[in-house]
C-alpha cells in the first residue's frame, strides 16, 4: 500500500515476549511507524524489541489493554498520524489485512474500519470462543444498538479525526465494547472489513477466558448504570 | 426499653450529632454530612419508636414496618454501591492518566532504537 499519509500501527503488549519481536518485524517491512505500549510486562517484552526502530512506551503499572491502546493512540496523534491501526501483539493478526482496513478511510468512505473474523476467516477458533463471540454480538446490539458481525476484534483502523474524538476510558477488556458504543454516540461512520485471525495454542492460552466475557458484560452494564 | 434500644439509640444519636457538627463546621462535604445526619436521626427515631415504622409504612401502602426498613436499606445500599463504583472508576482513570503521562516522558524513539533500560537518556542511545 503506497500512500503519503502516515499510518501508525499501535500495539498494546503485556507479557508477549514470545511473539512481539516477530510481529513487529513483519510490520516494519511495510509500516515504519509502529508504536508498542508495554503494559508493565514481567517477561521482558520490551527487551525483545531491542534494535528495532519502534516507538516504545512503557506503563510502570499494568493498566489493561484498553488503557495501553489509548496511550498508543494519543501518542500516535501527537506524532502526526493520519491513520491509526490497532494490532494485537500475540500473532493472531496478519499485516496483509491492514491495507483493506486503511484504504476505505483514505478514500473517505468511513471514519473507522473494523476487522471481522466472521466476514473473513478464523483459523482454529475453538467452538466455545465462537459461541461467546456470537453472544457478544447480541449483547452489543441490545446495549449499544450497533450491528456488527465481530464485536471483539483488535484489528481496527481509525482516521485521525475519529481517533481524536474517541476516548477509551475502560482500561481492561471492556474497551472493545466501549469503542463500539462511542462509534454510535459520536456518529462516526464505520465499515466492517474481512480479516483473518490465526489462533495458536499460545494465543489461546493467554487470551480471554470464557469467564472474561462475563466480566466484560458486567463492566459494560455497571458503566451504563453509573452514567 | 429493651437492651438493643439502650445500646443502639445512644450510638445512633451520637453519630447524628457528629454528622450535624460536621455539616455546620464544613469539615466534610456538606451533602455527605447532611445525608449521614438524616440517616442516623431516622435510625435513632425508629429504634426508640419502632411503632413509627408501622405508621409510616401504612401511609406509604407498605404492609409492615419491617418491610419499610428493608426497602429503605435496599435503596440506600444500591445508591451507595453506584456512588462508590463511580468513585472507584474515577480514581482508576486518574491512575491511568498518571501512568500514561509517565510513559510519554520516558518514551523511546525509533531512530534511536528500542531501549532495554528506560533510565538511559536519549543521548546515551545515539550511535
Amino acid at each position: 500500500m503506497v500512500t503519503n499519509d502516515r499510518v501508525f500501527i499501535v500495539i498494546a503488549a503485556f507479557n508477549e515476549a514470545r511473539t512481539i519481536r516477530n510481529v513487529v518485524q513483519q510490520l516494519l517491512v511495510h509500516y515504519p511507524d509502529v508504536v508498542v505500549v508495554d503494559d508493565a510486562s514481567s517477561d521482558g517484552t520490551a527487551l525483545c524489541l531491542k534494535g528495532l526502530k519502534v516507538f516504545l512506551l512503557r506503563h510502570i503499572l499494568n493498566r489493561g489493554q484498553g488503557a495501553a491502546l489509548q496511550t498508543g493512540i494519543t501518542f500516535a496523534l501527537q506524532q502526526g498520524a493520519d491513520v491509526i491501526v490497532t494490532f494485537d501483539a500475540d500473532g493472531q493478526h496478519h499485516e496483509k489485512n491492514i491495507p483493506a482496513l486503511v484504504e476505505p478511510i483514505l478514500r473517505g468512505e468511513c471514519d473507522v474500519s473494523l476487522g471481522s473474523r466472521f466476514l473473513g476467516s478464523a483459523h482454529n477458533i475453538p467452538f466455545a470462543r465462537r459461541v461467546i463471540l456470537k453472544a457478544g454480538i447480541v449483547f452489543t446490539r441490545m446495549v449499544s444498538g450497533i450491528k456488527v458481525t465481530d464485536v471483539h476484534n483488535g484489528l481496527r483502523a481509525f482516521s485521525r479525526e475519529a481517533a481524536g474524538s474517541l476516548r477509551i476510558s475502560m482500561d481492561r477488556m471492556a474497551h472493545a465494547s466501549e469503542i463500539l458504543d462511542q462509534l454510535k454516540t459520536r456518529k462516526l461512520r464505520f465499515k466492517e472489513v474481512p480479516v483473518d485471525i490465526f489462533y495458536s495454542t499460545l494465543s489461546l492460552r493467554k487470551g480471554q477466558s470464557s469467564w472474561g466475557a462475563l466480566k466484560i458484560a458486567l463492566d459494560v452494564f455497571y458503566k451504563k448504570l453509573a452514567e | 426499653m429493651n437492651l438493643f434500644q439502650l445500646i443502639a439509640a445512644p450510638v445512633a444519636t451520637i453519630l447524628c450529632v457528629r454528622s450535624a457538627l460536621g455539616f455546620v463546621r464544613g469539615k466534610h462535604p456538606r451533602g455527605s454530612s447532611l445525608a449521614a445526619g438524616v440517616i442516623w436521626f431516622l435510625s435513632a427515631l425508629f429504634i426508640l419508636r419502632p411503632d413509627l415504622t408501622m405508621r409510616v409504612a401504612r401511609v406509604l401502602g407498605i404492609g409492615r414496618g419491617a418491610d419499610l426498613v428493608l426497602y429503605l436499606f435496599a435503596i440506600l445500599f444500591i445508591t451507595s454501591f453506584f456512588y462508590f463504583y463511580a468513585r472507584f472508576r474515577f480514581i482508576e482513570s486518574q491512575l491511568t492518566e498518571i501512568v500514561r503521562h509517565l510513559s510519554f516522558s520516558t518514551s523511546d524513539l525509533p531512530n534511536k532504537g528500542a531501549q532495554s533500560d528506560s533510565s538511559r537518556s536519549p543521548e546515551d542511545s545515539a550511535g
Side-chain angles (χ1 to χ4, degrees):
Chain A
M1 184 180 68
V2 178
T3 176
N4 291 327
D5 297 277
R6 285 190 78 185
V7 178
F8 273 66
I9 315 296
V10 170
I11 303 172
F14 176 64
N15 289 346
E16 302 285 5
R18 291 194 203 183
T19 56
I20 189 67
R21 189 175 180 89
N22 189 47
V23 167
V24 170
Q25 279 179 321
Q26 289 182 17
L27 286 168
L28 286 173
V29 172
H30 298 292
Y31 304 99
D33 295 312
V34 176
V35 180
V36 178
V37 182
D38 177 9
D39 194 19
S41 300
S42 56
D43 68 346
T45 292
L47 289 173
C48 296
L49 296 172
K50 194 171 182 180
L52 297 181
K53 293 188 188 310
V54 297
F55 294 99
L56 177 61
L57 305 174
R58 269 169 283 199
H59 283 175
I60 60 167
L61 296 173
N62 178 258
R63 299 310 300 154
Q65 189 182 45
L69 284 177
Q70 183 61 60
T71 298
I73 290 169
T74 302
F75 183 83
L77 288 171
Q78 289 173 353
Q79 298 299 314
D82 295 302
V83 179
I84 296 171
V85 176
T86 61
F87 199 90
D88 281 0
D90 57 6
Q92 284 193 350
H93 295 159
H94 202 290
E95 71 282 355
K96 71 174 176 23
N97 290 140
I98 294 177
L101 289 163
V102 172
E103 280 159 9
I105 294 174
L106 295 178
R107 287 194 298 261
E109 292 172 11
C110 62
D111 305 308
V112 179
S113 293
L114 302 172
S116 171
R117 77 200 84 192
F118 296 116
L119 294 180
S121 62
H123 301 269
N124 301 325
I125 182 171
F127 177 73
R129 185 68 59 90
R130 186 185 291 273
V131 169
I132 287 168
L133 287 169
K134 291 291 186 183
I137 294 170
V138 176
F139 178 77
T140 299
R141 288 191 188 183
M142 284 167 49
V143 171
S144 305
I146 292 256
K147 289 183 183 176
V148 292
T149 60
D150 191 346
V151 298
H152 220 267
N153 195 315
L155 192 47
R156 319 170 186 90
F158 304 90
S159 67
R160 180 181 178 80
E161 292 70 28
S165 71
L166 290 167
R167 184 72 185 176
I168 300 172
S169 66
M170 305 200 78
D171 291 346
R172 303 283 168 189
M173 296 308 294
H175 72 275
S177 300
E178 186 186 25
I179 288 172
L180 294 178
D181 204 42
Q182 290 190 21
L183 292 185
K184 186 174 183 190
T185 57
R186 284 158 170 73
K187 295 183 171 56
L188 294 169
R189 300 167 302 156
F190 67 92
K191 178 178 178 175
E192 282 200 286
V193 174
V195 298
D196 305 310
I197 303 293
F198 298 88
Y199 290 87
S200 64
T201 310
L202 185 65
S203 69
L204 283 170
R205 195 186 318 142
K206 202 179 168 295
Q208 273 291 101
S209 69
S210 302
W211 293 113
L214 180 61
K215 191 174 178 312
I216 290 169
L218 285 173
D219 281 345
V220 171
F221 179 66
Y222 288 147
K223 182 173 183 284
K224 285 280 184 187
L225 284 181
E227 279 173 354
Chain B
M1 259 201 201
N2 57 41
L3 183 61
F4 173 74
Q5 287 173 316
L6 281 172
I7 296 170
V11 170
T13 305
I14 289 167
L15 290 169
C16 177
V17 169
R18 193 160 170 264
S19 298
L21 288 173
F23 178 83
V24 168
R25 290 171 185 167
K27 277 178 104 175
H28 303 290
R30 284 214 153 92
S32 302
S33 296
L34 180 64
V38 168
I39 289 169
W40 290 124
F41 172 75
L42 287 175
S43 298
L45 183 65
F46 288 151
I47 289 169
L48 289 169
R49 291 288 304 277
D51 57 299
L52 280 179
T53 61
M54 193 66 198
R55 287 191 201 177
V56 174
R58 280 196 188 134
V59 168
L60 293 174
I62 297 170
R64 303 179 305 170
D67 292 341
L68 171 68
V69 173
L70 184 64
Y71 295 157
L72 289 175
F73 178 76
I75 291 168
L76 186 65
F77 177 79
I78 292 169
T79 305
S80 299
F81 171 80
F82 283 112
Y83 171 76
F84 285 110
Y85 177 75
R87 290 289 304 167
F88 166 75
R89 278 188 43 81
F90 177 69
I91 291 168
E92 285 277 280
S93 70
Q94 289 197 311
L95 180 58
T96 296
E97 282 303 316
I98 292 169
V99 170
R100 181 169 296 142
H101 182 77
L102 284 171
S103 74
F104 291 155
S105 61
T106 58
S107 63
D108 291 327
L109 304 179
N111 58 345
K112 295 173 178 57
Q115 298 301 317
S116 59
D117 179 359
S118 63
S119 65
R120 291 179 63 186
S121 67
E123 288 73 24
D124 289 342
S125 63

